[in-house]
Amino acid sequence: MALATASIDDPETWHLFANLDNEFLKMVEGGVQSRFHRGDAPLGLPEMRAKWDADFRKEADLLLEESKGEVSEEEISISVRDGSTVRALVYRRTCSPAEKGPLFIILHGGGFRIGNAEMEARACIGATQTYGCVSVSLEYRLSPENKFPVAYDDAWDALLWLSRNDSSLGADVAQGFVFGGTSAGAHIVNALVHRARDEMLHPPVTGVYLSVPPSLAPQALTDEYRDLYRSREALKDGFTLTSESIELYDRDVEPDFTSPLWSPLLWPTGHANLPPTFFQICGADLLRDDGLIYERELRLKCGGKTRVVVYNGLPHVFWYTHPSHPTSEKFAKDTILGLGWLLGKEV
């Protein structure tokens, strides 16, 4: 009898995606720690933010150097509703083509507590080099200083400004307008693309990129999804994201668990007529089923266009935490291919 293999079309096999990757197991057993391992003396939040910011700034500088001058980076500030500003990094081709290219906006992860625009430099530089995009890595104000829904308001205000000022950035959203995020960033993006559809944002978002996205808080779980929603419990003691760390994020962010912003799977106007969506999902991630359930909702119930890559046996944001793992390079390539699909410019 043949052994069952994991398939996104068979929820009864989803647990097989969690079978730990052999190379990752070797790394763990060999003492390879996450690049953000805090050691015996845990860092405070300011020190942790400073370390993340410095590490990813160095990585962004290296990526720009590797582009051999083909991509430039500009830091800008965008005003939001309460008079504050949010920071963004804009990536462009240094030799601008005669026609303006599409706009790609991405939000970083970090549990709403840490993170910076440099974290998404690889996706931005790759998209700009490959497809001629103007790529914008967008920040939002962090918790615990700023509570829910400030990050969502910041991102919405910035999204509106960027879409209305695309020409000044060197982009043309009529050529393509992709909005994406990773982890906490995907959490925000998923809600805001629903809002953009409902409020008929013009020009509309044409593609959505969701990397390891939350979609349904356990506090808002409904009977409709209960039988599919297993990874939150089964993988609660995972390697890079645990139920304990999510509890910490919730304490700092203080979300409204009943809000569709926090659980976009339950968006009151549904999920029809959303743009094509590209998913990257980690098989050994407690958020795995958040992504797989939402993808089924889009594709099977609403007839939406989706594309999915699942990284079998690998934990949440492994490419951030274990960049030396060989699949981290594949993840980066998959990201660029997926963005090409969203832009209708597959290579």
Side-chain angles (χ1 to χ4, degrees):
M1 183 176 178
L3 294 175
T5 57
S7 168
I8 64 170
D9 291 316
D10 184 1
E12 293 304 316
T13 68
W14 287 357
H15 67 284
L16 298 174
F17 284 127
N19 294 336
L20 278 177
D21 172 80
N22 286 333
E23 186 66 29
F24 186 79
L25 272 175
K26 289 178 185 177
M27 293 176 74
V28 172
E29 292 169 356
V32 177
Q33 300 280 3
S34 162
R35 71 191 289 185
F36 303 114
H37 179 63
R38 288 177 274 172
D40 296 329
L43 299 175
L45 184 57
E47 293 79 14
M48 191 189 315
R49 286 176 177 170
K51 175 172 173 50
W52 276 58
D53 290 353
D55 284 355
F56 281 106
R57 183 63 259 171
K58 290 178 183 177
E59 188 171 300
D61 288 339
L62 179 60
L63 291 166
L64 285 167
E65 183 178 332
E66 290 175 352
S67 80
K68 298 180 180 179
E70 292 182 8
V71 178
S72 67
E73 177 192 271
E74 178 189 6
E75 181 175 325
I76 65 171
S77 295
I78 302 171
S79 296
V80 295
R81 65 190 63 189
D82 64 0
S84 299
T85 60
V86 293
R87 175 178 178 261
L89 296 177
V90 182
Y91 295 90
R92 305 179 183 89
R93 279 184 176 172
T94 51
C95 297
S96 299
E99 293 185 3
K100 294 180 176 179
L103 180 63
F104 168 46
I105 303 170
I106 188 167
L107 276 64
H108 64 81
F112 292 91
R113 301 175 74 242
I114 53 180
N116 63 0
E118 283 84 351
M119 289 175 69
E120 298 298 344
R122 183 177 295 275
C124 289
I125 292 169
T128 297
Q129 275 189 298
T130 308
Y131 307 116
C133 298
V134 172
S135 299
V136 179
S137 186
L138 178 64
E139 294 184 359
Y140 44 88
R141 285 176 286 174
L142 300 173
S143 297
E145 300 91 332
N146 302 282
K147 305 296 186 182
F148 177 87
V150 169
Y152 292 78
D153 292 341
D154 285 351
W156 178 255
D157 292 348
L159 177 68
L160 293 181
W161 187 90
L162 290 164
S163 68
R164 293 165 181 168
N165 291 272
D166 58 331
S167 182
S168 68
L169 297 171
D172 178 6
V173 291
Q175 303 300 315
F177 185 9
V178 173
F179 190 31
T182 298
S183 193
H187 205 167
I188 297 169
V189 167
N190 199 359
L192 296 190
V193 294
H194 286 80
R195 180 176 177 181
R197 178 205 59 189
D198 290 352
E199 298 189 13
M200 293 183 287
L201 178 69
H202 185 78
V205 173
T206 60
V208 182
Y209 167 52
L210 298 178
S211 177
V212 293
S215 68
L216 178 62
Q219 296 87 346
L221 180 62
T222 65
D223 289 341
E224 181 178 2
Y225 303 109
R226 196 173 304 279
D227 289 342
L228 299 176
Y229 192 81
R230 300 167 181 166
S231 59
R232 288 269 189 159
E233 176 63 24
L235 298 169
K236 65 181 181 180
D237 299 319
F239 282 93
T240 56
L241 184 67
T242 67
S243 59
E244 183 178 346
S245 56
I246 286 181
E247 288 174 5
L248 170 63
Y249 304 153
D250 288 348
R251 286 197 300 272
D252 278 358
V253 180
E254 296 181 9
D256 175 359
F257 295 114
T258 67
S259 170
L261 291 175
W262 201 247
S263 292
L265 183 62
L266 305 181
W267 197 267
T269 54
H271 315 293
N273 302 314
L274 288 169
T277 304
F278 172 57
F279 291 83
Q280 286 172 299
I281 295 170
C282 294
D285 179 3
L286 66 79
L287 296 180
R288 180 196 68 217
D289 293 351
D290 281 62
L292 292 173
I293 292 168
Y294 179 58
E295 189 275 336
R296 283 173 64 84
E297 195 81 13
L298 289 180
R299 176 169 53 92
L300 300 181
K301 292 189 178 180
C302 301
K305 295 180 179 180
T306 65
R307 187 168 288 189
V308 187
V309 181
V310 179
Y311 300 95
N312 294 349
L314 288 169
H316 191 73
V317 298
F318 67 89
W319 59 95
Y320 283 162
T321 61
H322 294 79
S324 62
H325 190 285
T327 307
S328 295
E329 187 63 30
K330 180 181 184 300
F331 172 88
K333 292 177 180 177
D334 289 341
T335 301
I336 301 308
L337 291 172
L339 292 172
W341 175 69
L342 292 174
L343 291 165
K345 296 187 175 186
E346 293 181 270
V347 294

